[in-house]
Amino acid sequence: MDEEQPCNSNLKEEVRKRQDSNQGSRGSNSSRTSRKSFRLDYRLEEDVTKSKKGKDGRFMNPWPTWKPVTFPNVLKWIFTEKDNSKVPSSKQVLDINLPVLTPYFVQNPELFGKTGVGMRVTWLGHASVLVEMDEVTFITDPIFSQRASPVQFLGPKRFRGPPCTVSELPKIDAVLISHDHYDHLDYLTVVSLNARFGSELRWFVPLGLLDWMQKYGCENVIELDWWGENCIPGHDAVTFVFTPAQHWSKRTATDENKVLWGSWSVLGPWNRFFFAGDTGYCVAFEEIGKRFGPFDLAAIPIGAYEPRWFMKYQHVDPEESVQIHIDVQAKKSIGIHWGTFALANEYYLDPPVKLKEALDKHRLQTEDFFVLNHGESRDLNINDDGFE
């Protein structure tokens, strides 16, 4: 297996290099080890929470805020808790309450990538966001299928469809996967993205997922442990760091917690982006903020949180979402993981309502932690080379 060329250690030097020649590292082979790309500054020497395995060799959450998901509790949730989601069956009602917009890059593709030294985010539903920053474009936990399930005739079904197809996506450089649950790692979407972009698309995945990615034809895969770093060939100035989260993993009856889970910190010369993935609240977010903050934008889940006795360990509620926003030192945040699948028991329109209440409680503005319609974009610090 060919060794990747390391990313350079001096961020200012990388900006100069990109301006001069836009040359970078080469190679696209998969990597099982988390090659240290470079150290950003002295803060990387601070103590942080490392990933941990139990005696059975499976990953585990190292925080006291975690409580394992048990089968009896799953049954208790399903059979004793009332489902208050009340998703309308009427498409007309849903179109009013949760409109699905055609993304700008479908209607006006010539505007794609024109962000200057700013950044742009487009919500594609659930935890899928398309981010343009620092001359790279990446997508988080993409799912374009109708069901979050191993089969497309059973399992949670979207009540709001994707705003575009894989074929309508612009050229993307990377995909970030937070963990292997079906609503975050979708087989059909992976196959479709791989068929369209092939080895030019770099996949950043958690430790333990490389074999699965290779099994389904993905060649350009980087597998990382918590705090592991890497970059996209040709774009050395932007570093992708796999950071912690409090969650779990499982796709089959026998593979629970064999794959790590986490969040992603994307660090560029002009912008910094944080993607929380799926998570319960824990102290890791303070560590991330101290080490890599402030972030220009964070994508933080605000849905799938009721009932709290069951969901709190694996999914934050809007109050905790705002605390993550504060912990990671986000200048702006977008609320994700809501309005697409009914995965928990809260009313389907409650997440943004509860988010506003939490923001008011912390004396923060709604524009500091916003929500978008499906397919809608938001520009941050775009100069005259971008669009309004």
Side-chain angles (χ1 to χ4, degrees):
M1 182 177 295
D2 295 334
E3 186 70 20
E4 294 283 345
Q5 295 297 316
C7 301
N8 290 331
S9 59
N10 191 311
L11 212 57
K12 292 182 180 179
E13 178 66 11
E14 284 304 327
V15 175
R16 184 193 65 77
K17 279 180 59 182
R18 181 166 64 176
Q19 291 172 340
D20 291 345
S21 63
N22 197 30
Q23 293 180 349
S25 61
R26 298 177 181 271
S28 61
N29 287 341
S30 298
S31 172
R32 180 174 297 281
T33 59
S34 57
R35 170 184 51 78
K36 289 290 184 182
S37 54
F38 63 81
R39 293 193 175 277
L40 286 168
D41 53 45
Y42 71 92
R43 291 179 297 175
L44 287 180
E45 303 301 331
E46 296 176 356
D47 290 335
V48 291
T49 303
K50 305 295 179 61
S51 65
K52 185 178 180 181
K53 287 185 177 181
K55 294 181 179 179
D56 58 0
R58 297 172 189 261
F59 291 103
M60 55 190 297
N61 285 286
W63 303 284
T65 47
W66 170 251
K67 183 178 179 179
V69 177
T70 65
F71 186 63
N73 279 347
V74 172
L75 294 178
K76 178 182 176 183
W77 167 50
I78 293 174
F79 292 110
T80 67
E81 292 288 346
K82 183 179 180 181
D83 184 1
N84 298 307
S85 58
K86 298 180 181 178
V87 179
S89 58
S90 168
K91 182 180 182 299
Q92 289 74 20
V93 173
L94 285 170
D95 285 344
I96 294 172
N97 293 337
L98 285 173
V100 178
L101 310 180
T102 301
Y104 87 90
F105 52 76
V106 176
Q107 295 182 313
N108 303 105
E110 72 279 3
L111 299 177
F112 169 70
K114 295 182 178 179
T115 59
V117 295
M119 64 189 307
R120 180 178 301 131
V121 59
T122 304
W123 188 43
L124 301 179
H126 202 50
S128 305
V129 294
L130 184 78
V131 179
E132 303 161 60
M133 59 172 269
D134 298 72
E135 298 182 0
V136 300
T137 301
F138 54 89
I139 189 171
T140 65
D141 287 355
I143 178 168
F144 289 83
S145 295
Q146 288 302 309
R147 293 184 185 271
S149 171
V151 293
Q152 287 300 299
F153 56 86
L154 287 175
K157 187 177 182 180
R158 328 176 61 113
F159 56 86
R160 291 279 75 186
C164 67
T165 64
V166 170
S167 63
E168 292 174 323
L169 287 172
K171 174 67 171 66
I172 60 177
D173 302 296
V175 177
L176 312 185
I177 300 295
S178 64
H179 64 295
D180 69 357
H181 285 161
Y182 286 99
D183 57 322
H184 294 259
L185 178 65
D186 177 58
Y187 162 75
L188 292 176
T189 300
V190 169
V191 170
S192 296
L193 285 169
N194 189 52
R196 175 161 180 212
F197 297 111
S199 61
E200 294 183 358
L201 180 62
R202 169 149 288 191
W203 298 82
F204 292 101
V205 304
L207 204 62
L209 199 52
L210 177 62
D211 289 343
W212 189 95
M213 302 299 298
Q214 290 182 329
K215 177 181 178 181
Y216 296 112
C218 299
E219 301 175 4
N220 188 353
V221 184
I222 297 296
E223 181 186 65
L224 295 174
D225 197 354
W226 286 349
W227 310 107
E229 310 165 6
N230 214 288
C231 59
I232 300 170
H235 296 280
D236 295 357
V238 181
T239 301
F240 294 79
V241 187
F242 192 47
T243 41
Q246 179 174 290
H247 204 57
W248 56 293
S249 65
K250 185 181 179 72
R251 286 181 77 86
T252 70
T254 61
D255 69 350
E256 184 170 350
N257 294 345
K258 287 187 176 181
V259 172
L260 190 56
W261 51 87
S263 57
W264 288 95
S265 299
V266 184
L267 316 173
W270 302 312
N271 299 280
R272 294 193 172 196
F273 171 78
F274 176 70
F275 171 55
D278 259 6
T279 187
Y281 183 75
C282 66
V283 299
F285 301 107
E286 292 184 47
E287 295 178 0
I288 294 167
K290 186 178 181 181
R291 193 166 183 179
F292 298 131
F295 290 91
D296 297 276
L297 178 66
I300 303 173
I302 62 171
Y305 54 82
E306 290 288 353
R308 293 312 289 150
W309 69 262
F310 179 65
M311 289 292 181
K312 68 175 294 185
Y313 309 104
Q314 54 191 312
H315 290 161
V316 290
D317 62 12
E319 171 76 23
E320 293 166 326
S321 303
V322 172
Q323 190 59 55
I324 292 176
H325 167 86
I326 295 169
D327 287 353
V328 301
Q329 304 175 39
K331 299 176 184 177
K332 302 286 184 182
S333 289
I334 174 176
I336 61 170
H337 204 263
W338 75 283
T340 312
F341 296 95
L343 299 176
N345 293 5
E346 74 271 6
Y347 180 55
Y348 82 110
L349 292 178
D350 263 0
V353 175
K354 298 300 183 183
L355 174 62
K356 185 179 185 307
E357 293 176 359
L359 290 171
D360 290 343
K361 179 179 177 180
H362 287 273
R363 298 183 179 180
L364 296 172
Q365 302 298 313
T366 53
E367 57 264 29
D368 292 334
F369 198 148
F370 56 88
V371 295
L372 296 177
N373 291 316
H374 293 75
E376 187 179 5
S377 300
R378 178 69 58 91
D379 295 346
L380 286 80
N381 304 318
I382 301 291
N383 62 15
D384 291 338
D385 293 330
F387 78 98
E388 296 297 333

